Amino acid sequence: MFEYQGSAAHPREYPVWDLPEIAIVGRSNAGKSSLLNCLAGRHDLARVSKTPGRTQRLHFFAERSASLAIVDLPGYGFARVSKPQRARLAVAVERYLRERTLLRGLLLILDVRRAPQEDEEMLAEFGASRGIGLVCVATKVDKLGHGERIRRLRDLERGALGRWLPFSAVSGEGREALAQAIVLLARGQMEKGGKV
Ligand code: GDP
C-alpha cells in the first residue's frame, strides 16, 4: 500500500526515514504516472506529481509493508539544451541522484515505441557510477502487435542499456515482475542487467 509522503525540491525537504529508495525516471509522457498507479493498484496516486507547480518536485511514496520507498522524479527531456549540446537533468534531480544515501536503485521508464537517447544513457551512467541497481522498463507494450513487439524489444536489448522489462499499465502485463524487481533493487540485489 503506497502512501504519499510529500514532495521536495531541496534535500532539507526529503523525508527523514530509513527506507531504501527506488527512484523512477522517464521522459514526459513515457507512462511513468500510469505505471506508478498500476503498481499501487490505484488510479490517482501519481496525480499529485502532475499538479501545476509541482511538476519539478520530487515526490516520495512509502511502501511500508515492503520496507521501501518510491521516489517519482520530475520528467526530463525538456530541460534546456546548453552549449555544447548536451542533455541536462533538472538541478533537483541531479542533486538527489548524487547525494541521497538512501537511493538503492533506478527504474528507467521508456515508451516501447521510442529509442533510448542521451538522457536515458546519462541516467544509467549516474546509477552505475554510484553502484546502484538499474531496471529498464519498456512500457505501453499493449500498443504493439506481436511481430512489432518482438522486434522492438530485441532492438532495445541490443542497445547500450541491455535488457528491458516489458510492461503495460493497460493490461497489467509485467506488474508482478516489476514489483519483484523493485524489492530486489531495494535490497541491493539487482545489478544493471540483472534478470527479473
Ligand atoms: P508520464 O508523463 O510519464 O507520467 O505519462 P502518463 O502515465 O501520463 O502517460 C502518458 C500517456 O500514455 C497517457 O495518455 C496514458 O494514458 C498513456 N499510457 C501510459 N501507459 C500506457 C500503457 O501501458 N498502455 C497504453 N496503451 N497507454 C499508456
Side-chain angles (χ1 to χ4, degrees), residues 4-17 21 53-54 56-61 71 74 91-93 95-96 99-100 102:
Y4 183 56
Q5 297 289 321
S7 70
H10 188 277
R12 67 175 168 265
E13 300 172 314
Y14 296 167
V16 178
W17 57 27
E21 292 175 357
R54 311 203 105 200
Q56 287 307 299
R57 297 176 72 81
L58 288 65
H59 297 275
F60 292 79
F61 300 88
V71 186
V91 173
V93 173
R95 186 143 190 204
Y96 171 84
E99 297 179 12
R100 184 63 158 166
L102 288 170

Side-chain angles (χ1 to χ4, degrees), residues 38 142 166-177:
C38 176
D142 61 280
F167 183 86
S168 165
V170 169
S171 71
E173 178 184 345
R175 188 180 175 282
E176 280 313 307

Side-chain angles (χ1 to χ4, degrees), residues 112-113 138 140-159 164 166 173:
V112 69
R113 300 165 299 175
K140 310 192 194 181
V141 290
D142 61 280
K143 287 191 182 254
L144 300 182
H146 183 65
E148 184 62 13
R149 173 198 165 112
I150 290 172
R151 268 194 299 281
R152 283 298 310 137
L153 288 170
R154 192 188 51 209
D155 287 352
L156 282 172
E157 197 150 340
R158 286 179 180 159
W164 289 75
E173 178 184 345

Side-chain angles (χ1 to χ4, degrees), residues 27-34 50 139-140 142-143 168-170:
R27 60 184 61 248
S28 316
N29 268 325
K32 188 160 59 89
S33 310
S34 305
K50 296 213 158 178
T139 189
K140 310 192 194 181
D142 61 280
K143 287 191 182 254
S168 165
V170 169

